[in-house]
Amino acid sequence: MIIDLIDYPTLRVIWWLLVGILLIGFAIMDGHDMGVGTLLPFVAKSDVERRVAINTIAPHWDGNQVWFITAGGAIFAAWPFVYATAFSGFYWAMMIVLWALFFRPVGFDYRSKIEHHLWRGVWDWLIFVGSFVPPLIFGVAFGNLLIGVPFHFDHDLVSTYTGSFWGLLNPFALLCGLVSTCMITLHGGVYLMHRTEGEIQRRARIWVSVLGLLFVVLFSLAGIWLAFGISGYQITSAIDPAGFSDPLAKTVVSAPGAWLQNYSRWPLFMALPLLGYVGVIAAVVFARSGKTLWAFILSAVGIAGVIGTAGVSMFPFIMPSSSDPRSSLTVWDATSSHLTLFIMLVVALIFVPIILIYTSWAYAVMRGKVTAAYIRENNHSTY
């Protein structure tokens, strides 16, 4: 049969990679939209300047949401245990993200309906909230995954979350949230520099420099904390990579330094945290020298390095359990069936390239600077 072309363990690893790629795509594409929204009140002072900033992302922000939806759908279909456990345990955090995201489309569409400074000022700050909160919460979520989430499965494989919303806001998770926020906001600042000129570009350059420095400091602090202050998880029993998905069919222990073991096994993966540093630092250098397109590409490389670092550090774990380690969800026991993963892979190989081609075409058509003169000349057809 054609399904036998790829064995079950290989498909499980492929989907771990694909989900990671989708998350990176979301962080890069929707991330620069959110970065622009976060910087909106600070780099654009007048109404015209804020309209310039908004119109740099106006043609693309809703299309970039495809990455968010696709990543969520992939987790639902490929990792049903993870989807069910995470969306119940992180319920209120997810709701905060969704409520914040509501402000973005409404803010973009309604801010220019009435020409009044108070009306537009309120919507501008709501766009800021809708852009600042999601990266912060997503970073906090990753921080909690690295610490371990308090949940367990019963004998019927029904998960129960035993933590609280406030428990998610622990110091290490908040630090990871700040790393995520700096990274995404810097990415948006570089994009603003690429699409604008004059005072907006100058202010964005300052923010990019500051955020680059903050990122290096915070990312380093998170790495040190993870290496010396947080215990990771490791599987101590035999596992069957081709077996049925049963999270309870293994033994897991918490051990200091466990999240660093993969780098000892496969030293090549040390390139990932280096990419995080090099990408962001080079992005700042290129942005300050006026090579904004290269700065944007390098910022994207930095994002890929940071997310890749989290994924490789945890592999094969996806969602460790701090209250019952054997309930931890891994690449080998949290996936859908062999047939489901194979069909999804075929679908992904067809539609992901289509998304990439269309997105590239849309950005090529809409390339160029957005200026104050353009906004004034197209007053009724711009945001």
Side-chain angles (χ1 to χ4, degrees):
M1 294 178 63
I2 191 171
I3 189 175
D4 295 325
L5 292 174
I6 307 178
D7 60 46
Y8 199 12
T10 301
L11 271 175
R12 282 171 155 165
V13 175
I14 287 173
W15 270 102
W16 175 80
L17 288 169
L18 285 177
V19 170
I21 289 170
L22 290 171
L23 291 175
I24 290 170
F26 167 61
I28 292 172
M29 300 308 299
D30 213 18
H32 74 263
D33 294 345
M34 292 182 183
V36 171
T38 300
L39 289 173
L40 180 64
F42 310 107
V43 300
K45 301 303 182 180
S46 67
D47 181 64
V48 171
E49 287 184 345
R50 293 187 178 184
R51 291 182 67 189
V52 168
I54 290 171
N55 277 275
T56 62
I57 58 175
H60 307 293
W61 74 267
D62 48 354
N64 289 336
Q65 298 282 78
V66 168
W67 290 96
F68 182 45
I69 297 168
T70 305
I75 293 172
F76 169 77
W79 298 341
F81 283 114
V82 175
Y83 185 90
T85 305
F87 277 69
S88 58
F90 296 162
Y91 179 81
W92 284 110
M94 295 295 183
M95 290 303 296
I96 290 173
V97 169
L98 289 176
W99 290 333
L101 287 174
F102 292 160
F103 292 133
R104 281 159 52 82
V106 179
F108 291 142
D109 286 338
Y110 279 86
R111 76 169 302 280
S112 294
K113 298 295 185 183
I114 299 176
E115 293 189 22
H116 190 280
H117 70 279
L118 182 59
W119 170 269
R120 293 185 175 184
V122 169
W123 284 116
D124 289 339
W125 280 105
L126 290 178
I127 291 172
F128 164 80
V129 171
S131 302
F132 173 80
V133 170
L136 178 67
I137 296 296
F138 289 141
V140 168
F142 265 97
N144 278 283
L145 291 178
L146 288 163
I147 294 172
V149 181
F151 72 92
H152 65 271
F153 287 99
D154 61 21
H155 293 296
D156 295 320
L157 295 183
V158 175
S159 65
T160 300
Y161 177 74
T162 56
S164 66
F165 169 76
W166 299 110
L168 298 175
L169 304 179
N170 56 80
F172 178 76
L174 289 173
L175 174 61
C176 292
L178 292 176
V179 172
S180 172
T181 301
C182 286
M183 177 178 71
I184 295 301
T185 308
L186 180 146
H187 194 51
V190 170
Y191 185 74
L192 264 179
M193 287 186 63
H194 183 63
R195 295 295 310 278
T196 63
E197 58 186 22
E199 283 299 302
I200 299 177
Q201 188 183 70
R202 183 188 65 81
R203 296 183 193 117
R205 181 185 294 111
I206 295 172
W207 275 99
V208 165
S209 301
V210 172
L211 290 166
L213 177 61
L214 279 175
F215 168 83
V216 169
V217 172
L218 295 175
F219 188 48
S220 301
L221 181 58
I224 295 169
W225 197 339
L226 188 68
F228 300 105
I230 292 177
S231 294
Y233 295 82
Q234 60 186 53
I235 300 172
T236 57
S237 62
I239 57 172
D240 181 7
F244 292 107
S245 291
D246 181 1
L248 298 180
K250 64 180 180 301
T251 303
V252 175
V253 297
S254 175
W259 288 150
L260 303 181
Q261 290 182 354
N262 284 337
Y263 299 103
S264 299
R265 295 191 189 100
W266 306 296
L268 185 61
F269 285 121
M270 283 298 298
L272 289 170
L274 287 176
L275 279 178
Y277 282 114
V278 172
V280 169
I281 294 171
V284 173
V285 172
F286 275 79
R288 292 190 63 84
S289 64
K291 299 176 182 178
T292 53
L293 178 58
W294 275 107
F296 184 79
I297 293 170
L298 289 164
S299 176
V301 169
I303 290 173
V306 172
I307 296 177
T309 297
V312 167
S313 298
M314 292 177 60
F315 184 86
F317 289 90
I318 303 171
M319 189 173 182
S321 170
S322 58
S323 57
D324 180 26
R326 72 171 185 154
S327 293
S328 299
L329 296 170
T330 74
V331 170
W332 314 122
D333 56 30
T335 64
S336 296
S337 68
H338 189 184
L339 177 61
T340 300
L341 295 182
F342 183 80
I343 293 173
M344 287 174 57
L345 178 60
V346 173
V347 172
L349 290 175
I350 294 171
F351 286 100
V352 170
I354 293 174
I355 295 172
L356 290 172
I357 292 169
Y358 171 78
T359 302
S360 300
W361 174 81
Y363 273 84
V365 170
M366 299 292 180
R367 67 185 182 277
K369 300 286 187 181
V370 179
T371 64
Y374 172 81
I375 295 298
R376 295 187 182 97
E377 291 170 5
N378 298 273
N379 188 53
H380 298 292
S381 60
T382 54
Y383 286 86

